[in-house]
């Protein structure tokens, strides 16, 4: 798998909301950036062992700049603190991507739900849905109105957007929004884990394939015991043993085989690999139920094998 990989310059830093910084990135020589579609994200390499994924939230038609927004998380792992405290306009950062596991599918109707910084991948989706003439609404929640990014931009959509800060309106009224299945309507949701879990619960009776979510943190899942199995790397000719306490990704890399990876948590999709034989034990938070059932790809940073042997296109 190939991926754009370049140093980009931070052209602008804008305060998108209380605790949310929007960065505009450009190529230092003014070169065009790769095309992208709503839902895409990029990997931003902030330093050694400091790599984060951020959704693109600008205009896909603008081929000369990318915009991302970063929430400052005081109890985070250091990425947001670096962006907010050290990254200045004029600095360069290495960026890889874009890649998209949250693409907007064509539909006559959409229901968008965003929580906090989860508005970032949703924002360009709204513009695309509007341009396509689709019927849509957005329910957008956050702690306070001041902490909710891009509220000013959203005001242009009028009553299609409902901004519901928790300190003013309480928890989002998902029962009214999603309690009744709506055939021919797609639901797109991004935000904190509890919100996504609640939306998944409300959409359990909707037609299959109606709900699309993107998670910033791994979904809690029940998994079986980790066991040892064999993995065959078809292109490189390796046959490897994956120990019970080691991931496929680490096993492959230990054998000297290069493979793209990023989050190592099963949330970004960077390490998605084609499966040629065998049945994956999917433990990621990216693939849809249909993709899991097909078993044609797997995220090798977290997923394992349901049997004794996997053959991968590596």
């Amino acid at each position: 798998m190939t991926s754009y990989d370049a140093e980009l310059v931070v052209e602008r830093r804008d305060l998108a909301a209380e605790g949310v910084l929007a960065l505009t990135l450009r190529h230092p020589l003014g070169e065009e950036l790769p095309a992208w579609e709503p839902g895409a994200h990029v990997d931003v390499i902030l330093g050694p062992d400091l790599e984060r994924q951020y959704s693109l939230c600008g205009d896909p038609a603008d081929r000369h700049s990318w915009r991302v927004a970063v929430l400052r998380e005081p109890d985070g792992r250091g990425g947001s603190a670096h962006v907010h405290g050290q990254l200045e306009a004029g600095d360069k950062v290495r960026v890889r991507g874009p890649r998209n596991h949250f693409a907007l599918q064509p539909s006559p109707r959409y229901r968008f739900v965003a929580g906090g910084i989860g508005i970032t991948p949703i924002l360009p989706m709204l513009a695309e849905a509007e341009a396509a003439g689709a019927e849509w609404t957005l329910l957008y929640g956050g702690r306070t109105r001041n902490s909710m990014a891009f509220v000013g931009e959203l005001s242009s959509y009028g009553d299609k957007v409902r901004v519901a800060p928790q300190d003013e309106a309480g928890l989002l009224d998902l029962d009214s929004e999603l309690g009744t299945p709506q055939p021919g309507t797609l639901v797109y949701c991004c935000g904190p884990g509890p919100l996504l879990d609640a939306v998944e619960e409300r959409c359990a009776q909707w037609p299959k394939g109606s709900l699309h979510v993107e998670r910033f943190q791994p979904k809690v899942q029940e998994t079986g015991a980790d066991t040892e199995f064999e993995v065959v790397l078809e292109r490189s000719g390796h046959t490897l043993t994956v120990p019970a306490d080691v991931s496929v990704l680490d096993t492959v890399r230990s054998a000297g085989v290069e493979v793209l990876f990023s989050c190592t948590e099963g949330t970004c999709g960077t390490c998605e690999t084609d499966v040629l034989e065998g049945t994956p034990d999917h433990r990621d938070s990216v693939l849809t139920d249909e993709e899991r059932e097909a078993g044609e790809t797997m995220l090798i940073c977290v997923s394992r094998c349901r049997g004794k042997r996997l053959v991968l296109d590596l």
Side-chain angles (χ1 to χ4, degrees), residues 4-308:
Y4 181 76
D5 190 330
E7 276 201 333
L8 302 183
V9 65
V10 179
E11 182 183 58
R12 294 181 52 169
R13 287 167 42 106
D14 297 298
L15 195 63
E18 183 181 288
V20 180
L21 191 63
L23 303 178
T24 301
L25 307 174
R26 287 184 179 269
H27 192 280
L29 301 180
E31 295 179 5
E32 278 196 347
L33 302 175
W36 61 279
E37 296 180 347
H41 70 265
V42 292
D43 304 326
V44 180
I45 294 84
L46 300 166
D49 301 318
L50 196 58
E51 180 175 330
R52 298 293 182 266
Q53 291 75 44
Y54 299 118
S55 297
L56 292 172
C57 58
D59 180 2
D62 180 358
R63 294 294 301 277
H64 288 89
S65 72
W66 282 344
R67 183 175 70 169
V68 299
V70 182
L71 170 68
R72 185 179 185 104
E73 300 181 85
D75 299 324
R77 297 176 296 155
S80 69
H82 181 94
V83 170
H84 280 256
Q86 299 183 46
L87 200 59
E88 300 291 343
D91 289 349
K92 292 181 180 179
V93 289
R94 184 177 159 209
V95 181
R96 290 199 310 250
R99 56 183 58 87
N100 197 342
H101 285 86
F102 193 45
L104 186 68
Q105 297 181 6
S107 177
R109 289 178 298 279
Y110 298 98
R111 296 293 175 261
F112 297 103
V113 181
I117 198 63
I119 189 62
T120 50
I122 299 293
L123 200 60
M125 291 184 178
L126 306 182
E128 180 162 311
E130 184 77 359
E135 174 196 321
W136 64 269
T137 62
L138 166 67
L139 179 60
Y140 179 21
R143 291 182 294 102
T144 65
R145 190 174 295 270
N146 288 341
S147 72
M148 298 170 67
F150 306 118
V151 169
E153 290 185 25
L154 292 169
S155 63
S156 64
Y157 292 120
D159 60 7
K160 293 182 180 182
V161 173
R162 185 148 60 93
V163 176
Q166 187 173 349
D167 65 338
E168 298 176 20
L171 295 176
L172 293 181
D173 186 0
L174 298 178
D175 289 327
S176 296
E177 192 75 11
L178 304 172
T180 302
Q182 302 168 33
T185 302
L186 297 184
V187 179
Y188 279 80
C189 179
C190 185
L195 171 63
L196 298 182
D197 292 341
V199 168
E200 287 182 342
E201 181 180 340
R202 295 335 188 267
C203 290
Q205 303 305 316
W206 282 53
K208 190 173 184 180
S210 297
L211 177 61
H212 301 262
V213 302
E214 181 168 63
R215 292 180 177 269
F216 295 138
Q217 299 294 332
K219 182 179 181 179
V220 177
Q221 304 180 60
E222 292 185 9
T223 61
D226 293 343
T227 58
E228 180 180 287
F229 59 94
E230 181 181 88
V231 61
V232 178
L233 309 184
E234 182 75 12
R235 282 190 282 120
S236 56
H238 290 281
T239 298
L240 310 171
T241 297
V242 181
D245 59 347
V246 180
S247 70
V248 177
L249 173 63
D250 287 344
T251 302
V252 168
R253 294 185 67 227
S254 295
V257 177
E258 290 190 10
V259 58
L260 287 177
F261 70 97
S262 185
C263 73
T264 69
E265 295 181 327
T267 59
C268 75
T270 306
C271 69
E272 184 175 1
T273 302
D274 288 341
V275 178
L276 304 179
E277 292 180 32
T279 304
D281 178 6
H282 295 292
R283 303 182 180 188
D284 64 274
S285 302
V286 172
L287 298 180
T288 64
D289 290 341
E290 292 78 10
E291 289 169 330
R292 290 179 173 222
E293 290 172 11
E296 296 175 352
T297 68
M298 65 183 289
L299 271 63
I300 61 173
C301 65
V302 291
S303 296
R304 301 185 66 81
C305 179
R306 289 193 179 278
K308 294 294 185 181

